[in-house]
């Protein structure tokens, strides 16, 4: 079970199928057969330079055909592909290159400045060569450096790949944890193999009839595995290149007849907005997969009603290669429409064949699948990791003795296995032995017209252990006073039990944010949680229970 | 990668889905959740009796829910399921039970007489218990004996399966070779896992929207893996029970809304015939898979034109778990109709993702994929065996050093990988370094109105090594004379090169047949090939080249 089998199928059965790539130079187009020749040239050059098992070839790039060639060429040759997230802060990029000891770093020319900014001599010590995608080397301080086309120019298109064990690492990505340094996760050939087959199954299973546009960045958890799945299935592959705007995506759908795509909800919100203004022809598009964060029901509705496109949630994480869940239909709801259909599609999803899950409370006991009970989501399966790279302590903390991954996500599951992730375990407020989801409270508060931003954090409490405190930024036209406080408390209480209502609501000018734009709850706590606030919470809380 | 993962999904995600089973007692119906409970009861009883790794539980049965429970219950408990082909001659059944050392033998009550007839004290020495499917034990000489319901009655529906390695044998079937004794092939959990995922992919990939009727016998190469695939995908499963007639199948399609089914061409011919007479409602049926022998184009056409059903060929063998090929469409022919579409569906098929193939000549050199060049089909992949059970000599003969299975099938492959199997290597006539397919000659001859049966075998020749000799049974109203000989020669020469034309055409009263009704070429040679015939061939042949 190695990636060679899928490349073989792409080259031999679907040699005429196309890969369309939007690059910094325009639209590039070639067949799977051409692709295969170039993948072999690349692999032969890596081989000739002595790379193989244990060597990491890193990428710092958008979705294009060069990146795609590395996806198969590197692991099939026996080396390991390390996809660096180009959106990480410089200190994280340095940590990644240093920790992974990357030997070669292949960079998108549009990301060259960013890489130069992140460059650090000590951290990049292992890098023997920089390769710039394209056929020219722009002005750069990085060295030694070459361009990708020169790099593979004298490669062998008939190169025979060596035997590679299915248990050998094929790929590697790092988590983008909001606390601490990212953790490395390695993917063996077999993990990718199982994951690829998973993406070929079910209602959204890719087939040779599909044209699949991979919008999710290939630097983000192996592009959700779609670069592998398209080749294995014979689907036409469309790669939208650097920083695609909604208009770029719409044009590619129109010109290439895209049937399926995958990206984060923000992308789909942007495309919807563009479609309502420019009215592009998106008729070919049947399914779009939305993941990375929860997909709002309103977006799912508008896709179905305005565009005739089925927007389907998915779920996964760096540790799970990543896709474990897709919000597919089951016999009892396959014919549902309206709100019921929307609710189905909005779940994080059903576990794919091969994946097993359970949800456990603080004592490790399973909670029922009743659509309500919350617990930590644990998963297990052929493409769920059983260790972190270079970090036995993190492995011990996150993997149980019998091989379950403790995801750190708080979830509830319906009786049929539809999973919803409501929060990170670290973001929960543990009040009197029960859990309160800070994310749900934040979403509720931000649903009020007077609220621009809201963050909720736990504050220690002598009786209940922790109680929620809310920090609210009001809209320009709203007045931050006690009346609004009471209004917001009532607004929360309409939807949630009274003991979920935050014990204090603090009005602040802005929520502090981290490098990726997410709320920084650590900074929030440092800035605002003092003895006075704790006292306020202490006074208020008992009355709430 | 074990079967537990698929059972888990069936029980937890698709617990409400149904298994419908036509038994000797009538229609039986229960849910995947009920099924799971009974599978666990069965497994707990096996466990309590001390069975596990290395123990074989054999079946001798049609397709019903008891058989299906054994499919998951036995391997998930850690023991190995051995499915005995109930159509084998007694001597073969004895060989199988003896060779596999089956510990328990579970028998369909409708097959009890046949099993008693095959019983041999020495060969059945290892059998500790006979279990009769159902809740009563009919009058029988077999002992000790119990009925299935009593056997599992005090089992534990909450039984937790032990950890089972993915490399542990889960199943076992024997080839039904026409020469010599059947050979055993073991299937590990991982092989079944990969094969199951393969059946969930592509145009015919099973999903929870399907109702799948498994007509192919579950005693025949793991029911083509469909009992596993239905549970993994959440498809409703319909099992047609003992010796189903076309009318039984049509009624099940009507009452259960069957969308997909799988069987040998003979079954589909029977259903077509029945449909033309009784006009059942087969509208729900979208795809039927046809395998086990070549699917005639005429049958494919009539299914599409008369019934609106897509009849699709598949291919595989005992050594390959078994499905390696399905005649799916690719982008260049997805919209084709008429003859082109029929031709696509009539190929043995395209390799499934994971499977690799090559076609080699007598020297082991690859022949081109040009739709014409013939060679032996070699295959490799996660569910292609790398050894025969208990037979290192056969393994050495059939598996190359780098792990390719020499199928013994002669095939040609189009440039896109559509494979056609034209003959068994053993049935080829090797004439002057070129291959002549005896099966193609037989089919051509039997296509003439005067011919009832035709068999072609190689006869040794001093110059050409071998030359084809044809043995023809004429229709009652035809005259077996020299005129007919010349007519048949010309008839063959219209379609094939002149050197394919048999050098002698012998008229015989009947073609000798083996136990399964196939032509016995060994008997044919014994009875008819003598010095006089060899001389006739010797005289004729040189002129043909």
């Amino acid at each position: 079970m190695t990636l060679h089998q899928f490349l073989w199928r792409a080259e031999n059965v679907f040699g005429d199928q196309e890969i369309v790539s939007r690059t910094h130079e325009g639209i590039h187009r070639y067949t799977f057969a051409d692709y295969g020749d170039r993948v072999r040239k690349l692999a032969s050059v890596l081989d000739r330079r002595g790379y193989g098992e244990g060597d990491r070839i890193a990428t710092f790039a958008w979705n294009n055909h060069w990146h795609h060639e590395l996806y198969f060429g590197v692991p099939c040759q026996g080396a390991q592909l390390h996809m660096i997230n180009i959106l990480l802060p410089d200190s994280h990029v340095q940590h990644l290159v240093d920790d992974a000891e990357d030997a070669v770093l292949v960079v998108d020319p549009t990301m060259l400045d960013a890489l130069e900014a992140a460059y650090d001599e000590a951290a990049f010590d292992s890098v023997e060569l920089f390769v710039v995608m394209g056929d020219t080397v722009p002005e750069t301080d990085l060295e030694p450096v070459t361009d990708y086309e020169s790099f593979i120019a004298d490669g062998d298109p008939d190169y025979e790949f060596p035997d590679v064990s299915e248990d050998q690492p094929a790929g590697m990505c790092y988590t983008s944890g909001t606390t601490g340094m990212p953790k490395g996760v390695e993917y063996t050939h077999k993990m990718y193999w199982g994951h690829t087959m998973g993406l070929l199954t079910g209602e959204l299973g890719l087939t040779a009839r599909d044209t699949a546009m991979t919008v999710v960045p290939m630097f983000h958890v192996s592009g959700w595995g779609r670069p592998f799945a398209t080749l294995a299935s014979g689907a036409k592959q469309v790669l939208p290149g650097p920083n695609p705007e909604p208009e770029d995506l719409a044009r590619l759908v129109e010109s290439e007849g895209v049937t399926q795509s995958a990206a984060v909800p923000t992308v789909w919100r942007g495309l919807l907005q563009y479609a309502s203004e420019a009215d592009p022809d998106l008729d070919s598009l049947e399914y779009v997969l939305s993941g990375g964060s929860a997909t709002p029901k309103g977006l799912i509705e508008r896709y179905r009603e305005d565009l005739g496109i089925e927007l389907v949630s998915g779920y996964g994480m760096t540790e799970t290669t990543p896709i474990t869940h897709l919000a597919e239909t089951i016999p009892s709801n396959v014919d549902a429409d309206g709100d019921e259909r929307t609710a189905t599609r909005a779940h994080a999803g059903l576990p794919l064949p091969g994946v097993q899950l359970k949800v456990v409370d603080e004592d490790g006991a399973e909670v029922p699948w009743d659509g309500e009970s919350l617990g930590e989501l644990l998963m297990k399966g052929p493409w769920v990791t059983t260790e972190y790279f270079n970090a036995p302590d993190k492995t011990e903390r996150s993997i149980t003795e019998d091989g379950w991954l403790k995801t750190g996500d708080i979830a509830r599951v319906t009786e049929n296995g539809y999973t919803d992730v409501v929060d990170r375990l670290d973001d929960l407020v543990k009040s009197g032995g029960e859990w309160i989801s800070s994310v749900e409270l934040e979403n509720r508060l931000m649903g009020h017209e007077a609220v621009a931003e809201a963050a909720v954090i736990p504050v220690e409490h002598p009786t209940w252990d922790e109680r929620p405190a809310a920090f609210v930024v009001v809209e320009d036209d709203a007045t931050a006073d006690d009346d609004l406080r009471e209004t917001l408390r009532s607004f929360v209480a309409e939807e949630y039990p009274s003991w979920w209502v935050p014990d204090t609501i603090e009005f602040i000018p802005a929520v502090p944010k981290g490098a990726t734009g997410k709320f920084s709850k650590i900074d929030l706590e440092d800035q605002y949680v003092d003895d006075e606030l704790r006292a306020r919470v202490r006074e208020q809380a008992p009355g709430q229970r």
Side-chain angles (χ1 to χ4, degrees), chain A:
Chain A
M1 293 181 174
T2 66
L3 292 173
H4 303 83
Q5 295 164 357
F6 300 136
L7 180 63
W8 180 91
R9 192 167 194 254
E11 289 180 285
N12 288 288
V13 175
F14 301 106
D16 308 327
Q17 187 58 287
E18 278 185 324
I19 296 175
V20 180
S21 161
R22 175 179 165 269
T23 76
H24 59 287
E25 294 167 332
I27 295 291
H28 177 275
R29 185 183 297 273
Y30 61 3
T31 64
F32 284 10
D34 297 334
Y35 171 86
D37 287 349
R38 287 172 52 91
V39 164
R40 286 169 193 274
K41 287 174 79 166
L42 166 66
S44 73
V45 170
L46 293 175
D47 196 339
R48 204 179 300 155
R49 286 177 175 252
Y51 296 119
E53 185 171 359
D55 294 314
R56 293 198 185 85
I57 313 297
T59 61
F60 198 78
W62 291 99
N63 298 13
N64 58 42
H65 62 289
W66 297 292
H67 207 169
H68 204 315
E69 289 168 12
L70 289 150
Y71 259 61
F72 273 95
V74 172
C76 287
Q77 188 267 329
Q80 185 180 3
L81 183 72
H82 170 205
M83 295 139 277
I84 301 175
N85 185 337
I86 63 179
L87 301 180
L88 290 178
D90 292 348
S91 63
H92 287 197
V93 173
Q94 289 157 14
H95 169 68
L96 264 58
V97 176
D98 187 34
D99 192 51
E101 300 183 81
D102 297 317
V104 176
L105 211 162
V106 188
V107 55
D108 197 311
T110 66
M111 293 308 300
L112 200 51
D113 290 350
L115 186 66
E116 282 175 344
Y119 181 84
D120 171 89
E121 198 173 330
F124 281 57
D125 186 39
S126 59
V127 181
E128 297 165 350
L129 182 66
F130 294 90
V131 179
V132 183
M133 292 171 173
D135 56 6
T136 49
V137 180
E139 182 73 27
T140 177
D141 296 334
L142 299 172
E143 58 170 11
V145 64
T146 185
D147 65 271
Y148 184 96
E149 295 301 331
S150 302
F151 184 67
I152 70 162
D154 64 347
D156 176 6
D158 298 318
Y159 173 74
E160 301 269 349
F161 297 111
D163 279 339
V164 175
S165 160
E166 64 184 18
D167 294 320
Q168 197 169 309
M172 178 180 213
C173 290
Y174 280 75
T175 62
S176 50
T178 44
T179 55
M181 275 294 165
K183 293 175 278 187
V185 178
E186 296 188 291
Y187 311 110
T188 64
H189 276 266
K190 190 170 148 200
M191 288 169 77
Y192 274 147
W193 195 96
H195 186 259
T196 302
M197 292 300 270
L199 297 189
L200 268 48
T201 70
E203 190 186 348
L204 275 75
L206 286 164
T207 76
R209 299 171 171 205
D210 281 307
T211 295
M213 180 165 68
T214 302
V215 181
V216 52
M218 291 167 71
F219 57 74
H220 186 66
V221 216
S222 313
W224 297 355
R226 296 180 72 88
F228 300 122
T230 44
L231 264 73
S233 64
K236 179 174 165 182
Q237 166 79 302
V238 179
L239 301 168
N243 224 351
E245 295 294 325
E247 184 179 352
D248 300 316
L249 300 180
R251 283 203 182 140
L252 286 167
V253 172
E254 284 183 326
S255 62
E256 306 304 331
V258 172
T259 62
Q260 229 198 66
S261 188
V264 293
T266 312
V267 168
W268 300 129
R269 204 175 285 116
L271 182 65
L272 178 71
Q273 176 68 22
Y274 176 79
S276 71
E277 292 157 8
D279 198 27
D281 177 5
L282 304 178
D283 282 357
S284 62
L285 204 47
E286 294 162 11
Y287 284 105
V288 299
L289 175 61
S290 175
S293 61
T295 306
K297 289 184 183 171
L299 193 63
I300 295 171
E301 265 167 21
R302 291 203 52 195
Y303 263 75
R304 181 166 337 105
E305 289 167 13
D306 299 357
L307 304 177
I309 295 170
E310 203 69 10
L311 186 71
V312 180
S313 286
Y315 168 76
M317 52 203 307
T318 308
E319 290 84 341
T320 61
T321 311
I323 306 293
T324 56
H325 286 67
L326 290 178
E328 300 191 288
T329 55
I330 56 175
S332 63
N333 62 29
V334 66
D335 296 322
D337 51 21
D339 289 350
E340 192 190 343
R341 189 165 193 88
T342 300
T344 300
R345 298 305 195 188
H347 289 298
L350 286 176
L352 291 178
V355 173
Q356 290 175 269
L357 65 89
K358 60 182 178 181
V359 178
V360 301
D361 65 18
E362 280 174 303
D363 303 322
E366 279 197 63
V367 307
W369 289 20
D370 56 10
E372 290 183 5
S373 302
L374 293 177
E376 185 181 5
L377 177 65
L378 271 59
M379 294 200 287
K380 197 176 191 174
W383 56 90
V384 176
T385 194
T386 52
E387 61 180 337
Y388 286 101
F389 176 71
N390 239 350
D393 54 324
K394 288 169 186 162
T395 298
E396 202 183 333
R397 215 156 41 227
S398 295
I399 316 288
T400 68
E401 270 178 33
D402 48 351
W404 290 89
L405 170 73
K406 293 154 78 175
T407 64
D409 275 344
I410 299 302
R412 56 176 170 241
V413 182
T414 72
E415 59 176 344
N416 285 110
Y418 283 110
T419 305
D420 283 303
V421 173
V422 299
D423 215 336
R424 290 291 299 166
L425 183 56
D426 294 341
D427 289 341
L428 281 183
V429 181
K430 287 122 190 163
S431 172
E434 301 289 341
W435 287 343
I436 297 171
S437 164
S438 62
V439 170
E440 292 203 36
L441 287 180
E442 290 163 3
N443 287 341
R444 180 63 183 167
L445 287 166
M446 287 191 282
H448 192 277
E449 57 182 8
V451 176
E453 286 181 347
V456 173
I457 59 173
V459 173
E460 51 194 292
H461 187 280
T463 312
W464 309 115
D465 294 333
E466 291 178 354
R467 289 294 303 156
F471 296 83
V472 166
V473 181
V474 298
E475 293 283 2
D476 290 344
D477 56 358
T479 310
D481 57 13
D482 277 349
D483 282 353
L484 180 58
R485 269 198 188 89
E486 277 316 303
T487 304
L488 292 177
R489 279 179 201 275
S490 306
F491 187 66
V492 171
E494 279 168 29
E495 279 281 314
Y496 293 97
S498 62
W499 57 275
W500 276 51
V501 177
D503 294 314
T504 182
I505 294 180
E506 307 285 315
F507 296 113
I508 58 174
V511 177
K513 298 187 185 68
T516 58
K518 288 186 184 175
F519 292 168
S520 170
K521 298 200 173 177
I522 291 173
D523 290 337
L524 194 63
E525 187 169 347
D526 283 351
Q527 276 180 263
Y528 295 105
V529 179
D530 53 18
D531 286 346
E532 197 194 334
L533 187 138
R534 285 193 199 93
R536 274 206 303 283
V537 168
R538 205 154 52 229
E539 274 167 38
Q540 178 74 13
Q544 292 288 344
R545 300 302 295 263

